[in-house]
Amino acid sequence: MNKLLIIYPKQDVKALVLAKKIAFDAKQKNVESQLLDDSQLATLDNAFATTTERVAVVGDVNVQSLSTFADKTTLVNADNLHQGNAYEAVLNQGISPIATHVTSNNQKPLSFVGITACPTGVAHTFMSAEALENIGKELGYQVKIETQGSVGAKNILTDDEIANADFVILATDIEVNADRFVGKKLYRTSTGQALKQTKQTFENAITQAVVHGGAGATTAKASTNKTEKTGFYKHLMTGVSFMLPIVVAGGLLIAMSFVFGIKAFEQEGSLAAVLMQTGKAAFTLMIPILSGYIAYSIADRAGLAAGLVGGLLASQLGAGFLGAIVSGFLAGYIALFLAKKLQLPQTLEALKPILIIPLLSSLAIGLLMFYVVGEPVAVLLKAMENFLTNLGTGNLVLLGAVLGAMMCVDMGGPINKAAYTFSVGLLTLDNPNQFPIAAAMAGGMVPAIGMGLATLLAKNKFNTDEQNAGKASVVLGLCFISEGAIPFPANDPSRVLPSCIIGGAVTGGLVGLMNMTLAAPHGGVFVLLIPNAINKPLLYLVAIAVGSVITGVMYAVMKPKMATIAQPV
C-alpha cells in the first residue's frame, strides 16, 4: 500500500482543512496517510518516514526541517485542490526543488540582498523589508534589505554585499534602478507579496530568479506578472510617488494660509498671500512631475524631458491631472520607441540620449497635446468638475461611501491609491473640489484605528503580538497611514476586510451627508490643528469615530477566540 505524509503549520486552520481533504482523497485511492503539524516532526515514526512515497506540505512550513525529505516533497499549491481529487492534484504538482533552500554550494547559508519601495515610501516599504529580514533569519538565510522610502535610501547595500549574495529580491511597486545587480540572480515581486507571503517569496526567488541582464531576463520579467505589479499600475505609481511630497507640501501650505482667515490671502503682500501662492506653485509643479516620472518609469531618463514638457502643457491647456497621466504614458512610450528603433552612425550615437530623443519626443508630445489630447481631456475634466460641484446630498453620500470603501479595500494597494489619486487630482483644480479628499482621508483612517479598537474590545481573542500591533495601528491610523492595519488582514482577510470596508463606507458617507470639505491632502487628525483646514472639524472627528467603532466592534465580534487546534488522531 502506498504511503503519504502530510505536514501543515500548527495553528493554521485552513492548512489543516486542506491537509484533511488530501488525506481523505488519498484514502479513496487506497493510499495510507499520516497528518502532522510542523511541531510534531521530531515524533515522526521512522519506519513510516522511510517508506513514504510522497511528502505533501500545506502552508508555510520551515523548509529546513524538510531536508530529510528533499527528494520526495511537494509544496502544495492550494489553488489546485478545490476541484477533482486533491491527492491526484498533489501528485500532478511533482517534486518541489527544496534541496537548495538550506545552503548554497559552499555549504554556507544562502545570502539574499534586496530593495523594497512603495509609492508613498512609508509603510509598505519598511514593513516588507522587516518581514523579509525576520522571516529570512528564521529560515536560516543571511538577508539584508535596502529601503528606498520617502526619506531616501536606508540600510544601503555595499558592493561587497551584492557581490557575495546568492539572490537579489526587488520587492517594489515603483521603478527602481537595478544596474547594480547585473550578473546576479534577481527575482522581482511587489511589497505586498513580500509582506503577506514572505516565505513564498523566498521560495520563488530560489526557483524563479534569473540572471539580471542575461538572455533570459526579459522572458523572466514577463513571467512575474502575477507577483510584480507591472505595466500601467507600476508606471502610474512611480509618477504618484514623486508627486505626493509636492502635493502634500502644497496642500498644507494652502491650508496654513487659512489660519489668518478664509479670505486673508486676497490681501497682497500678506503672509497668507505668500503661503497661498507658494502652495499653488507646488500644485502647478505637481502636474509636470506626475507626467515626467510616469514617462521616466517607462523609458528611464530618455523619457523624462518629454514627460515634463507634456505635463506642463497639460496644466496650461486645462487638462489637469488627467492630461498629465495621458501625456506621461505617451511621452514614455514615444521615447522608448525612439530609443529602441532609432539607428544612428556610431559617431552620433552619443547624441541620442541628450539631444535627439529629448528633441523628437518633446516635439511629438507637444503636437499631440495641442492638436489631439489637450482639448478633449480638458473638456472631460471640466465636465467632471461640474458634475461633482452640482452633486446633491444623496449623491455626495454615495460618492463618499464609495471613496471611503475603496480606501479600505487593500490599504495602500492599487484600489486605495486610485481613490486617493482621484481625490488629490480634484484638489489641484483651478476651482478645487475639497469634498473627495475629505471622504478619502477619513475613510483611510478607519482600518488602522478600527483594528486597534478591536484588540482593546476583545483582548482574549488576540495574542500579545497582535495587541501590540493594535496599539501601533491606532497611532498610524490617526496619521492617515492605512497600512498600519495590514498585519490583521494578512492573517484573517475574510473577517478583517468586510469590517474595514463597511466602516470606511459609513465614514465616507457621513462626510458626504454633512458636506464636509478638507483643504489639505494628508496629515490625518493633526490637520485639525490648522484653523479652517476642515469646514466642520468636530463632525469630521465624529464621522471617523463612528466608522472606526463599527469596524472595531464588527471584527471583535466575528473573530473567534484563541483555541488550541485539536490534533488529528
Side-chain angles (χ1 to χ4, degrees), residues 28-347:
Q28 307 305 308
K29 298 293 182 179
N30 199 33
V31 174
E32 179 185 354
S33 61
Q34 181 175 352
L35 277 72
L36 292 177
D37 70 53
D38 50 4
S39 68
Q40 297 175 312
L41 287 175
T43 65
L44 177 62
D45 181 357
N46 289 332
F48 191 95
T50 55
T51 57
T52 187
E53 281 80 16
R54 184 65 64 94
V55 178
V57 178
V58 185
D60 286 337
V61 174
N62 187 342
V63 293
Q64 283 187 302
S65 61
L66 305 175
S67 56
T68 305
F69 315 112
D71 59 343
K72 49 187 173 184
T73 296
T74 295
L75 302 178
V76 176
N77 183 349
D79 294 336
N80 298 334
L81 303 184
H82 299 300
Q83 295 181 351
N85 186 287
Y87 171 66
E88 290 182 345
V90 171
L91 295 181
N92 291 336
Q93 282 188 226
I95 303 299
S96 301
I98 70 164
T100 57
H101 290 203
V102 182
T103 59
S104 54
N105 292 334
N106 58 6
Q107 298 304 306
K108 293 181 180 179
L110 286 179
S111 175
F112 292 80
V113 296
I115 296 176
T116 58
C118 69
T120 56
V122 184
H124 272 78
T125 297
F126 299 99
M127 293 168 70
S128 57
E130 183 180 6
L132 287 169
E133 291 185 341
N134 290 343
I135 298 299
K137 185 177 180 181
E138 289 181 14
L139 296 173
Y141 304 147
Q142 293 178 351
V143 183
K144 181 176 179 180
I145 304 297
E146 177 181 313
T147 56
Q148 295 190 6
S150 58
V151 293
K154 299 291 183 184
N155 202 30
I156 298 173
L157 301 172
T158 66
D159 291 341
D160 287 342
E161 288 168 338
I162 295 172
N164 294 328
D166 296 300
F167 297 95
V168 178
I169 297 175
L170 296 187
T172 62
D173 302 322
I174 61 175
E175 194 63 39
V176 298
N177 191 322
D179 291 348
R180 290 178 286 171
F181 308 119
V182 171
K184 304 298 296 184
K185 289 184 178 179
L186 186 145
Y187 173 70
R188 296 176 182 267
T189 186
S190 65
T191 55
Q193 176 85 3
L195 175 61
K196 298 173 186 176
Q197 300 181 40
T198 314
K199 291 183 180 179
Q200 188 63 48
T201 297
F202 282 111
E203 299 279 346
N204 292 345
I206 293 169
T207 58
Q208 300 176 22
V210 296
V211 176
H212 182 52
T218 302
T219 303
K221 187 170 181 178
S223 70
T224 60
N225 285 342
K226 290 185 179 179
T227 54
E228 181 201 8
K229 295 180 174 69
T230 57
F232 179 85
Y233 174 80
K234 186 165 188 176
H235 301 321
L236 177 61
M237 286 301 103
T238 299
V240 169
S241 69
F242 283 95
M243 172 200 78
L244 277 179
I246 299 171
V247 173
V248 172
L252 290 174
L253 286 168
I254 290 173
M256 288 169 63
S257 72
F258 298 145
V259 170
F260 306 97
I262 294 296
K263 302 281 188 178
F265 67 89
E266 294 178 355
Q267 184 177 346
E268 191 173 345
S270 65
L271 179 58
V274 171
L275 291 171
M276 175 62 74
Q277 190 171 350
T278 306
K280 286 187 173 180
F283 274 2
T284 301
L285 189 60
M286 160 233 167
I287 303 296
I289 291 294
L290 174 61
S291 175
Y293 280 95
I294 290 174
Y296 171 82
S297 176
I298 296 169
D300 208 356
R301 284 174 288 184
L304 187 58
L308 292 170
V309 169
L312 186 57
L313 289 175
S315 180
Q316 293 173 348
L317 295 171
F321 75 99
L322 292 179
I325 294 172
V326 174
S327 67
F329 280 96
L330 286 174
Y333 284 113
I334 290 171
L336 184 62
F337 175 82
L338 292 172
K340 289 183 175 181
K341 301 297 183 182
L342 187 61
Q343 301 297 325
L344 295 175
Q346 189 64 36
T347 54

Side-chain angles (χ1 to χ4, degrees), residues 247-256 258 283 420 423-424 427 434 436-439 441-442 480 517-524 526-528 530 532-534 540:
V247 173
V248 172
L252 290 174
L253 286 168
I254 290 173
M256 288 169 63
F258 298 145
F283 274 2
Y420 183 69
S423 304
V424 166
L427 190 64
Q434 298 177 343
I437 192 62
M441 189 161 87
F480 183 39
T517 59
L518 173 65
H522 213 291
F526 301 101
V527 172
L528 274 69
I530 303 175
N532 303 314
I534 302 174
Y540 196 67

Side-chain angles (χ1 to χ4, degrees), residues 492-547:
D492 191 10
S494 62
R495 297 183 182 91
V496 172
L497 292 180
S499 304
C500 293
I501 291 170
I502 291 172
V506 169
T507 290
L510 288 174
V511 171
L513 180 64
M514 294 178 276
N515 198 15
M516 301 181 202
T517 59
L518 173 65
H522 213 291
V525 297
F526 301 101
V527 172
L528 274 69
L529 300 175
I530 303 175
N532 303 314
I534 302 174
N535 64 338
K536 300 172 182 177
L538 293 180
L539 290 177
Y540 196 67
L541 285 177
V542 169
I544 296 169
V546 169

